[in-house]
Amino acid sequence: MLDVKSFQLQSFLPLPYEEVLAPRLKRAHEKLQSGSGAGGEFTGWVHLPRDYDREEFARIQAAASRIRANSQALVVIGIGGSYLGARGVIDCLRSPNYNLKRKDTPNIYFVGNGLSSDAMGEVLDLVADVDFSVNVISKSGTTTEPAVAFRFFRAALEKKYGREGARERIYATTDKARGALKSLADSEGWETFVVPDDVGGRYSVLTAVGLLPIAVAGVDITALMQGAAEMMETCTEASFRCPAWRYAAIRYELYRAGRSIELLACYDPAFRFMAEWWKQLFGESEGKEGKGLFPASVEFTADLHSMGQYIQEGKRLMFETVVRLGPSDRQLTVPADEADGDGLNFLAGKSLDFIRDRAMEGTLLAHTEGGVPNLIVETSGRTPADLGQLIYFFEYACGLSGYLLDVNPFDQPGVEAYKKNMFALLGKPGYEDRRAQLESKLEG
């Protein structure tokens, strides 16, 4: 079972912080469990691992099986929560080099998460000569980046297979009853899956939003959900025996002590996009009303040779949360070298896991002594069940953290500002006055 461990935090935390903070954590916990807090209409994820739609889950598995049978590639179109969770799980459980590996599952390409013509064109080229399918993910169907991308890939499908053939290769994950994408899917006869009304995008990886592409990649989504259900059950306990309570409490107290940045670190490059998902989860949930930790991530040991100097001796703004995934699936040992020209024969016969763990321990000691608090989030291993636990743990801790800060952890009003400016500058009808104002500011 996942655990949260502090590392020599006594000098960084007020004592007895647990006793003082427990009543507030209990109130936050009750709000999550009952959906009675700010944004409570978006807490459907809290009991999702127990209450998810079994019929739709079976349809997801069936669709994934069809895609694996008839496609060499799946193009997943989405942005933010419709992108990062699935990519993080696939990278972590299958490989960050997934598309380069020899395998019996399709390559998976993620688009619609930016506005680069070169990036879009490259994926169009990559799927031009292979059989492919598309999973377009958008609750409204009008979010600019994915909607633009879908136009390109729908046209490519219809050119390649005809309108009838394309119909069997487009899967829309969208609102259950309304919106532009739902209407289009119904009129065209595409199979649809549901973005639940009560689950916001950044909490949606364990819905069809994440589960369809994850299943296409060959990940056991049943085990993923079982792991999440185990953590959900653990998080029902209103006490510091719950790891999400411990994590939320420590990061809140460090924040109150002046630590404004949380660095999420992992010693496995496969975790990179899980860290990107984590950054969206906490950044969108906490960063409002002038409050919230700034979520950043580092990949060790690589970033110890780039960011390590600042972490060790720079301004004391941060603390580190180190994710420890457990033993590697593949164990490699260092070979001996007769000449020992590099002087590393003292490592001969030792596993890379052993060397990595000593590097982690040395870093924990150095950074803590340098004034950077550290805590460890440790999984039992790196199976789908382990990752399901980790996903739910972070989601629950994030909900607790938002309520500790007295903000709504389930809205994102600040995200709309850039969209309004972009629509005006692009000439969208209804934004004429704003466009004139913005162009004047840009010229000035």
Side-chain angles (χ1 to χ4, degrees), residues 153-422:
F153 286 92
R154 180 187 176 190
L157 278 173
E158 292 182 350
K159 181 179 180 181
K160 189 178 185 74
Y161 301 104
R163 190 169 176 179
E164 290 296 318
R167 178 176 294 130
E168 304 303 317
R169 293 177 174 273
I170 297 176
Y171 301 84
T173 306
T174 187
D175 191 271
K176 66 180 178 181
R178 60 186 182 274
L181 181 55
K182 174 61 175 172
S183 297
L184 183 60
D186 287 347
S187 66
E188 294 292 332
W190 305 331
E191 182 164 10
T192 60
F193 299 96
V194 174
V195 181
D197 288 338
D198 57 358
V199 180
R202 58 189 177 273
Y203 293 84
S204 67
V205 62
L206 297 177
T207 72
V209 169
L211 292 178
L212 179 56
I214 290 169
V216 170
V219 174
D220 183 348
I221 60 173
T222 298
L224 189 74
M225 293 300 287
Q226 287 173 343
E230 291 170 2
M231 184 53 63
M232 181 195 76
E233 185 63 29
T234 298
C235 288
T236 60
E237 181 170 355
S239 79
F240 280 95
R241 285 188 291 273
C242 170
W245 271 51
R246 297 199 297 276
Y247 178 52
I250 291 170
R251 62 194 308 277
Y252 176 73
E253 290 298 338
L254 289 171
Y255 172 72
R256 289 204 322 124
R259 305 287 170 160
S260 57
I261 299 169
E262 180 177 9
L263 283 179
L264 190 75
C266 187
Y267 286 73
D268 194 324
F271 197 75
R272 180 179 299 172
F273 271 90
M274 284 304 301
E276 293 298 315
W277 168 80
W278 172 89
K279 285 192 286 190
Q280 185 200 6
L281 179 67
F282 280 89
E284 272 196 344
S285 297
E286 291 187 323
K288 52 201 72 166
E289 300 179 24
K291 302 174 185 178
L293 283 156
F294 182 84
S297 62
V298 286
E299 183 184 309
F300 290 159
T301 61
D303 284 334
L304 292 173
H305 295 259
S306 59
M307 295 296 293
Q309 174 61 41
Y310 190 96
I311 296 170
Q312 188 69 41
E313 296 184 345
K315 197 167 183 180
R316 305 295 76 184
L317 298 171
M318 67 193 73
F319 69 92
E320 290 176 283
T321 298
V322 180
V323 176
R324 189 173 188 177
L325 294 176
S328 300
D329 293 331
R330 184 177 181 181
Q331 293 293 325
L332 296 177
T333 57
V334 178
D337 182 87
E338 186 175 348
D340 196 23
D342 53 15
L344 293 180
N345 266 357
F346 73 98
L347 296 177
K350 292 183 170 61
S351 71
L352 282 180
D353 272 15
F354 175 84
I355 299 170
R356 175 205 64 198
D357 290 345
R358 302 298 81 73
M360 185 190 75
E361 291 162 1
T363 304
L364 286 168
L365 289 165
H367 288 181
T368 302
E369 291 168 0
V372 179
N374 270 259
L375 62 151
I376 302 168
V377 175
E378 187 171 74
T379 68
S380 300
R382 49 183 73 207
T383 67
D386 292 318
L387 203 59
Q389 287 185 15
L390 185 67
I391 288 167
Y392 189 90
F393 158 79
F394 276 134
E395 289 178 346
Y396 202 81
C398 188
L400 292 174
S401 295
Y403 287 143
L404 286 176
L405 288 170
D406 293 320
V407 300
N408 180 347
F410 308 113
D411 66 356
Q412 53 281 335
V415 175
E416 301 305 314
Y418 98 87
K419 294 181 182 179
K420 292 176 182 177
N421 288 346
M422 178 178 69

Side-chain angles (χ1 to χ4, degrees), residues 4-20:
V4 173
K5 301 177 180 178
S6 60
F7 186 83
Q8 300 182 4
L9 277 174
Q10 295 86 346
S11 61
F12 298 104
L13 291 171
L15 296 175
Y17 76 91
E18 291 182 343
E19 180 181 340
V20 173

Side-chain angles (χ1 to χ4, degrees), residues 135-151:
N135 177 206
V136 56
I137 308 167
S138 175
K139 190 165 181 62
S140 66
T142 59
T143 303
T144 304
E145 295 90 338
V148 167
F150 184 47
R151 287 195 173 199

